[in-house]
């Protein structure tokens, strides 16, 4: 049984394939074993992979081995992992902790190869500064925007549960970050659950108030990197090199926040001050994935199952974890 959140239509699959220059008639095994090519998918919030791409060190290392790298941007984590599942890309940049759960529920052959340690303050539920909403409990009956299946979705559920408000008691508006930004700006939603750098950008341009973020154990907001399992099995050296590049980029970003913001600003089209604010809230601490990490994933999966977002119960410890140095 596949998840409706991870079950692309034929048109969506053609769009994904077309975006990376593939056809759907190419067998997955052929795609995964394609020699001398590495296709990396990412989204705008994929800070470390953006740094790696901009600095060019990984590309040079792999070019010396005769491997070319191509980069493919996606609007959010869901289509990114869909592309990984159908063999349109080989590795994904980071996605919120919620997103891989739907891939696992759909039976996708994906492998966790890295994670960023939690950054719970990097996502929040915000309202306009002059809003009458003063607490999470005040969201009852209100329209709240967030991306479906994103980390922000879990934050909304967890915050409402803590406040004793059933999810059904709010008006849920599923919005991409771009659509959410517009809806929040024109007042068509009462509150918005969003993550950095979109969160920091809104704080810069709007007079907003934070209702709650993920701290105090509410929502960890760890981010995970995934690979196509066939690709990881066939290209272990490359996966290790990408891991090392991400870890190096994370250390550099934290040790050189101004330089990191200067590098990212023209790429993202954002003011440096926005990027500095966003980067302060992200850990950028890249580590291997452990079974203990997947226990927290299990808690999220169980919450999503209760709220009828996952189609079936999954056992997160059944997921494939990359062993660094393999």
């Amino acid at each position: 049984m596949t998840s409706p959140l991870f079950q692309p239509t034929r048109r969506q699959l053609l769009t994904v394939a077309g975006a990376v220059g593939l056809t759907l008639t190419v067998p997955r095994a052929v795609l995964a074993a394609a020699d001398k090519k590495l296709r990396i998918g990412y989204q705008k919030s994929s800070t470390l992979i953006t740094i790696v791409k901009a600095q060019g060190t990984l590309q040079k290392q792999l070019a010396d081995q005769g491997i070319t790298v191509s980069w493919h941007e996606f609007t959010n984590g869901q289509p990114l992992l869909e592309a990984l599942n159908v063999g349109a890309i080989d590795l994904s940049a980071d996605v919120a902790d919620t997103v891989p759960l739907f891939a696992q529920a759909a039976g996708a052959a994906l492998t966790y190869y890295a994670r960023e340690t939690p950054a719970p303050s990097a996502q929040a539920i915000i309202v306009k500064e002059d809003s009458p909403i003063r607490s999470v409990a005040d969201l009852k009956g209100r329209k709240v925007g967030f991306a479906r299946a994103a980390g922000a979705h879990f934050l909304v559920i967890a915050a409402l549960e803590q406040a004793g408000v059933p999810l059904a008691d709010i008006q849920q508006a599923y919005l991409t970050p771009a659509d959410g930004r517009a809806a929040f700006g024109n007042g068509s939603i009462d509150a918005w659950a969003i993550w950095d750098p979109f969160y920091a950008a809104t704080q810069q341009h709007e007079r907003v108030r934070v209702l709650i973020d993920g701290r105090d154990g509410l929502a960890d907001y760890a981010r995970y990197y995934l690979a196509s399992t066939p690709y990881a099995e066939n290209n272990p050296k490359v996966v290790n090199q990408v891991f090392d590049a991400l870890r190096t980029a994370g250390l550099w970003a934290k040790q050189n926040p101004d330089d990191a913001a200067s590098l990212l600003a023209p790429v993202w089209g954002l003011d440096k001050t926005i990027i500095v604010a966003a980067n302060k809230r992200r850990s950028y601490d890249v580590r291997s994935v452990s079974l203990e990490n997947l226990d927290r994933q299990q808690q999220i999966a169980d919450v999503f199952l209760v709220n009828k977002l996952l189609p079936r119960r999954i056992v997160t410890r059944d997921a494939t974890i990359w062993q660094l140095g393999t």
Side-chain angles (χ1 to χ4, degrees):
M1 184 176 183
T2 57
S3 165
L5 293 181
F6 204 80
Q7 188 174 19
T9 64
R10 173 72 177 176
R11 176 177 294 180
Q12 289 170 328
L13 290 175
L14 288 170
T15 299
V16 166
V20 294
L22 299 171
T23 67
L24 295 179
T25 59
V26 181
R28 181 197 301 273
V30 173
L31 292 173
D35 289 337
K36 307 306 179 184
K37 292 182 181 180
L38 170 60
R39 300 159 301 168
I40 299 176
Y42 65 101
Q43 51 186 322
K44 191 166 186 176
S45 57
S46 301
T47 310
L48 298 188
I49 211 72
T50 301
I51 290 173
V52 168
K53 179 176 182 288
Q55 290 180 330
T57 305
L58 176 67
Q59 298 93 302
K60 291 176 184 177
Q61 290 175 348
L62 293 177
D64 290 342
Q65 302 166 41
I67 300 171
T68 59
V69 181
S70 60
W71 308 87
H72 310 280
E73 185 173 354
F74 293 81
T75 55
N76 58 63
Q78 182 191 337
L80 175 55
L81 291 198
E82 287 169 356
L84 198 65
N85 186 37
V86 301
I89 58 174
D90 305 307
L91 297 181
S92 86
D94 53 310
V95 294
D97 41 19
T98 57
V99 180
L101 306 176
F102 296 93
Q104 186 176 349
L110 306 182
T111 294
Y112 287 85
Y113 72 91
R115 67 183 177 100
E116 287 179 27
T117 57
S121 65
Q123 60 176 359
I125 303 174
I126 60 175
V127 296
K128 294 288 184 67
E129 189 175 66
D130 59 357
S131 170
I133 299 171
R134 310 303 301 183
S135 68
V136 174
D138 293 336
L139 293 175
K140 186 173 182 178
R142 303 284 189 165
K143 183 177 285 188
V144 183
F146 49 87
R148 192 176 192 190
H153 194 163
F154 179 73
L155 174 61
V156 170
I157 294 172
L160 290 172
E161 181 178 349
Q162 184 183 72
V165 179
L167 183 62
D169 283 1
I170 68 166
Q171 300 176 54
Q172 300 174 61
Y174 296 139
L175 300 169
T176 65
D179 290 340
R181 176 70 182 83
F184 185 76
N186 65 29
S188 59
I189 56 176
D190 300 300
W192 187 28
I194 190 58
W195 60 92
D196 281 320
F198 311 104
Y199 171 25
T202 305
Q203 287 182 307
Q204 176 85 359
H205 296 297
E206 300 266 3
R207 297 177 67 86
V208 304
R209 182 160 34 84
V210 176
L211 274 189
I212 197 167
D213 61 26
R215 286 177 288 187
D216 298 325
L218 192 65
D220 286 347
Y221 193 53
R223 295 184 68 88
Y224 289 94
Y225 297 77
L226 293 102
S228 160
T229 297
Y231 183 87
E233 290 174 346
N234 292 332
N235 301 274
K237 182 179 179 181
V238 174
V239 177
N240 287 332
Q241 287 176 290
V242 173
F243 180 94
D244 289 342
L246 291 168
R247 182 164 53 186
T248 299
L251 291 170
W252 177 81
K254 280 301 186 183
Q255 293 169 0
N256 303 276
D258 190 67
D259 290 341
S262 295
L263 182 149
L264 291 165
V267 177
W268 283 350
L270 294 174
D271 187 86
K272 273 183 60 175
T273 58
I274 294 173
I275 297 171
V276 169
N279 286 354
K280 283 181 179 178
R281 292 190 286 240
R282 289 278 293 274
S283 73
Y284 297 141
D285 181 10
V286 177
R287 300 187 184 184
S288 299
V289 180
S290 69
L291 288 175
E292 288 72 24
N293 301 140
L294 297 187
D295 289 341
R296 178 56 174 164
Q297 291 289 84
Q298 187 68 57
Q299 294 172 16
I300 299 172
D302 291 344
V303 168
F304 274 11
L305 182 66
V306 169
N307 286 278
K308 301 181 179 179
L309 292 166
L310 279 179
R312 64 180 179 88
R313 187 178 189 276
I314 62 171
V315 177
T316 55
R317 281 194 173 221
D318 288 344
T320 304
I321 296 176
W322 179 252
Q323 299 300 316
L324 187 62
T326 299

